[in-house]
Amino acid sequence: FFLESPHSMPFTVLAGASAAAKALAPTACTTIEEVGSTGVGALTLGFLALAVSTVVMVAKAASADQERRKYYFCNTFICGVATFAYFAMLSGQGWTAIAGCRQFFYARYVDWLITTPLLILDLGLVSGQDFVTIAAVVGADILMIVAGYMGAVSVVTTVKWFWFLFGMAMFLPVVYSLARTFRETVITRKDPEMIELYGKIAWLTIIMWSFYPVVWLFSEGFASFSVSFEVVAYTIMDIISKCVFCFMIVSAHDSLGSPSQAPAQSREYV
């Protein structure tokens, strides 16, 4: 007879979770809760808004000088990638069934995995933040998106909420960096217009991104929201956090021409 070692307990728990996942996997769904006409209307609106925004950003990038072009290139890919994602969802692609026989658009997570780092890069460029810090914030952001996706497709409740907590743990340093670190850097530029621009787009981003985990909780999490309501909510937030964000940068076209000052390499401490 072999006694089970205490060190093997985590593996036993994981094995049990794996067996539970197989038992709960949505392979036996006879019907799937899919997006309704309201959700399709929202996807259409999102696709059109993002497509128009992409065209505008391409036009601005084509006519801009080198200093301003980097912002418009970021904006172009932010809106362009999101446009592709919305076209996929509108065309009935980029989705699967998750636990509870609910339609889940994974195309949205592909979008976020690409566009949210670009949004952070845009904010970093406006603030004049160094690229090492920007890369660190982007890394936390990517882990946050991956955790959200893994939580959404998890069929074991305990595992789902662990993924949610992991995602929120990555969300906090992202918010702190945008609200504090990047802001301190843009203040050192001593450019009132860029400081004002950064304040507007940073707080727009922080506020809108704070709504995403709330919608996740009641859709992919508790499944309290219908798929259509979930789609409408995410679409509104995507339009504001991408289209409105990009046009706020466009509105500050003249301010973008001032060369970015690198952050100070050394600081004096009192």
Side-chain angles (χ1 to χ4, degrees), residues 20-202:
K22 291 179 181 177
L24 295 171
T27 54
C29 292
T30 54
T31 58
I32 297 173
E33 182 190 353
E34 297 186 35
V35 62
S37 58
T38 303
V40 171
L43 289 175
T44 304
L45 177 62
F47 168 72
L48 293 175
L50 288 159
V52 170
S53 299
T54 302
V55 172
V56 172
M57 296 305 149
V58 169
K60 295 295 291 185
S63 60
D65 57 36
Q66 184 175 359
E67 183 61 32
R68 294 181 175 91
R69 191 173 295 147
K70 60 187 179 185
Y71 300 100
Y72 297 136
F73 277 157
C74 277
N75 291 354
T76 296
F77 288 108
I78 289 168
C79 296
V81 170
T83 300
F84 280 17
Y86 271 82
F87 179 75
M89 292 185 286
L90 189 58
S91 303
Q93 299 174 308
W95 71 273
T96 188
I98 57 174
C101 298
R102 179 187 179 92
Q103 187 177 29
F104 168 68
F105 288 102
Y106 60 80
R108 194 181 302 284
Y109 285 80
V110 177
D111 165 8
W112 294 340
L113 197 62
I114 300 172
T115 58
T116 55
L118 289 173
L119 286 164
I120 292 172
L121 176 59
D122 235 346
L123 287 160
L125 290 173
V126 170
S127 68
Q129 188 64 57
D130 66 276
F131 282 100
V132 173
T133 303
I134 294 174
V137 179
V138 166
D141 170 70
I142 290 173
L143 291 177
M144 175 184 72
I145 301 301
V146 170
Y149 170 81
M150 294 303 295
V153 299
S154 296
V155 294
V156 178
T157 305
T158 305
V159 175
K160 177 188 290 287
W161 295 117
F162 266 114
W163 279 119
F164 177 76
L165 292 176
F166 292 155
M168 292 306 296
M170 293 297 100
F171 179 58
L172 294 177
V174 171
V175 170
Y176 178 85
S177 298
L178 299 183
R180 185 73 182 269
T181 309
F182 284 27
R183 178 167 177 78
E184 288 178 350
T185 300
V186 75
I187 289 174
T188 64
R189 298 182 62 174
K190 301 186 187 322
D191 184 335
E193 293 181 344
M194 292 299 279
I195 294 173
E196 181 183 3
L197 172 62
Y198 179 80
K200 290 179 179 178
I201 60 177

